[in-house]
Amino acid sequence: MNSIESFAFIITFLLGGVILVGCFVILVVLKSTSLKLSRFFLVIALFGLIQHLFTYLLFTTQLIKVLPHLLGIGYPLLFLVGPSFYLFVKSYGESSFKLKKTDVIHILPFIMILILLIPRYLGSIEEKQVVITYYYDILPNGAVAFSDWLQASLHLVILLVYGLAALVMVYKRDKKNSILLKRFGMLLVSLAFTELIVQTGFLFTGASAITTEIILSGLMSITILLLGYWIVDIKQILPVLEGRKYKTSPLSETRSKEIQERIQSFFKDEKMYLVSDLKIADVSETINIPSHHISQVLSERMNSNFYEIVNQHRIEKAKEMLQSGALEKLSIQAIGEECGFSSKTSFYRAFKKVTAMTPTQYLDKVSG
């Protein structure tokens, strides 16, 4: 086996492995019913990245020369990655989220590219072989027109724009697991920006496209692996994984009951839930119980999760303050902040979820 064959084998092995990991993550996300509609947006975004990695695999191993009809077949899906991620962030944690008619604008780039590529899809093998050969050729310096650059980079520009829009949304809205969403957003923005710079550099320096693909496939692989790790490792976003873990848990009925009592005592005696950045690790350290045992007991015995139980106690405190006339001295937002909420929006959302009323409606009810 010569050096070229060895390199092709390594590339095939590495990219193939990442593709398999990505497919596993997609299955995990689909099983997570807690994500409701948002999981489908996340799956579309992941699939768009993974299928493009498969395209890299075809070119870096030169399999595309044997399978020319696969040329560009998944390219339109790249134009769904940014919009799908944006809709994932928008719908995440919103059980009542529904797509609007105006949301069709998000798939227009995908539809337009798909229509433009139909002639290529219907072309002959000879025509596709010409394109593939050109793809491997070294481009002459200065031969890249703006239209060529735009055609090669438009999907990255769209991903960058949607990634930035999603980040702005996360920072404006106090979403549960916002740290995780920020990581997702920063990763995709970094991927789009870096690939845009690298691809532009290679285009204008006259490097062969295959050289570019090797670099870009590495960046794409790192992105998919990081996304997969965060999705699978962060149990707050995918509690579906908790189910399997609990089935083999060593917790006995007596131990579970004891932990439940200690959790209840914590929220009764401690006022730490009024701290806006309270984490399950803080509770774990205070009551000396492992975090995953707390999560299990909350799920199995208390039919809740960490964020829900924290918000329930915060809302109870807010109800006490409203009934005691605190609104005469403090604003609604100030009361929310006193109870541990970082914004008026998050306070209103949690209050309505627990009481089915806004704070003002609740005050009118108890006063009347």
Side-chain angles (χ1 to χ4, degrees):
M1 182 181 293
N2 57 40
S3 58
I4 296 178
E5 291 175 337
S6 299
F7 180 74
F9 174 78
I10 293 173
I11 290 293
T12 303
F13 179 78
L14 293 178
L15 295 186
V18 176
I19 290 171
L20 288 176
V21 170
C23 291
F24 167 75
V25 174
I26 284 179
L27 291 176
V28 172
V29 174
L30 286 174
K31 289 187 63 177
S32 179
T33 54
S34 64
L35 288 178
K36 297 182 170 46
L37 181 62
S38 63
R39 74 183 188 269
F40 297 109
F41 297 129
L42 182 57
V43 164
I44 293 172
L46 287 171
F47 183 73
L49 294 175
I50 293 169
Q51 67 81 26
H52 197 53
L53 202 60
F54 178 71
T55 300
Y56 286 146
L57 181 64
L58 290 175
F59 276 94
T60 53
T61 59
Q62 301 195 36
L63 286 173
I64 191 65
K65 294 180 179 180
V66 182
L67 304 168
H69 281 304
L70 294 181
L71 178 64
I73 193 168
Y75 182 68
L77 292 175
L78 285 175
F79 292 83
L80 290 178
V81 175
S84 296
F85 177 71
Y86 175 82
L87 291 173
F88 163 68
V89 172
K90 187 176 181 179
S91 62
Y92 180 72
E94 304 291 337
S95 58
S96 60
F97 177 83
K98 292 182 179 179
L99 287 171
K100 302 176 181 178
K101 292 182 179 179
T102 54
D103 287 325
V104 72
I105 192 174
H106 298 303
I107 65 171
L108 288 182
F110 164 77
I111 295 174
M112 292 173 61
I113 295 299
L114 183 61
I115 293 174
L116 288 173
L117 288 179
I118 287 178
R120 177 178 293 181
Y121 295 150
L122 299 177
S124 65
I125 291 181
E126 291 73 19
E127 291 173 332
K128 293 176 182 178
Q129 290 286 9
V130 170
V131 175
I132 293 170
T133 301
Y134 171 82
Y135 190 86
Y136 283 94
D137 286 342
I138 297 179
L139 300 174
N141 290 331
V144 180
F146 175 76
S147 58
D148 296 326
W149 174 87
L150 187 62
Q151 182 180 355
S153 307
L154 184 58
H155 68 283
L156 295 174
V157 174
I158 291 177
L159 177 57
L160 182 61
V161 170
Y162 272 102
L164 290 172
L167 275 177
V168 171
M169 187 190 305
V170 173
Y171 278 98
K172 282 186 176 180
R173 299 173 62 183
D174 183 33
K175 284 182 174 290
K176 183 173 67 176
N177 289 319
S178 61
I179 293 178
L180 186 63
L181 296 179
K182 289 173 185 175
R183 285 181 181 178
F184 280 16
M186 288 300 299
L187 182 61
L188 290 180
V189 167
S190 299
L191 172 70
F193 181 77
T194 304
E195 289 206 354
L196 200 57
I197 296 299
V198 171
Q199 185 159 274
T200 301
F202 275 112
L203 282 173
F204 283 93
T205 55
S208 65
I210 191 61
T211 304
T212 311
E213 297 301 313
I214 293 173
I215 303 298
L216 298 185
S217 65
L219 294 173
M220 187 76 76
S221 297
I222 293 172
T223 300
I224 292 173
L225 290 175
L226 277 176
L227 285 173
Y229 172 75
W230 287 335
I231 290 171
V232 175
D233 185 64
I234 304 299
K235 304 303 187 295
Q236 291 95 325
I237 190 171
L238 289 179
V240 66
L241 297 181
E242 297 291 329
R244 291 185 178 181
K245 179 179 67 176
Y246 296 159
K247 289 180 181 179
T248 58
S249 171
L251 287 181
S252 64
E253 179 68 19
T254 302
R255 179 59 173 165
S256 295
K257 185 176 180 180
E258 177 189 345
I259 293 175
Q260 179 182 357
E261 292 173 350
R262 293 174 70 171
I263 293 173
Q264 292 171 332
S265 296
F266 170 85
F267 284 103
K268 179 180 179 181
D269 301 333
E270 304 286 343
K271 300 298 180 182
M272 289 175 62
Y273 59 83
L274 300 179
V275 179
S276 61
D277 61 346
L278 179 69
K279 301 179 181 62
I280 194 170
D282 300 322
V283 180
S284 173
E285 183 177 355
T286 302
I287 66 177
N288 195 28
I289 299 292
S291 296
H292 61 280
H293 285 173
I294 294 175
S295 296
Q296 178 176 348
V297 170
L298 284 172
S299 176
E300 293 185 342
R301 296 186 63 89
M302 303 175 71
N303 194 30
S304 182
N305 60 47
F306 178 70
Y307 294 98
E308 287 178 350
I309 196 169
V310 168
N311 280 347
Q312 286 170 4
H313 284 82
R314 287 175 176 172
I315 296 305
E316 288 302 316
K317 176 65 176 178
K319 288 162 65 176
E320 291 177 9
M321 293 183 67
L322 288 170
Q323 292 178 39
S324 66
L327 198 56
E328 297 176 2
K329 300 179 180 179
L330 299 173
S331 65
I332 291 289
Q333 182 173 348
I335 291 176
E337 291 174 351
E338 287 284 329
C339 296
F341 294 98
S342 58
S343 70
K344 182 178 179 179
T345 302
S346 62
F347 175 45
Y348 262 81
R349 185 163 55 245
F351 197 98
K352 194 166 185 178
K353 183 176 181 180
V354 173
T355 66
M357 294 178 284
T358 66
T360 304
Q361 291 170 338
Y362 173 79
L363 186 58
D364 290 340
K365 181 179 178 181
V366 296
S367 299

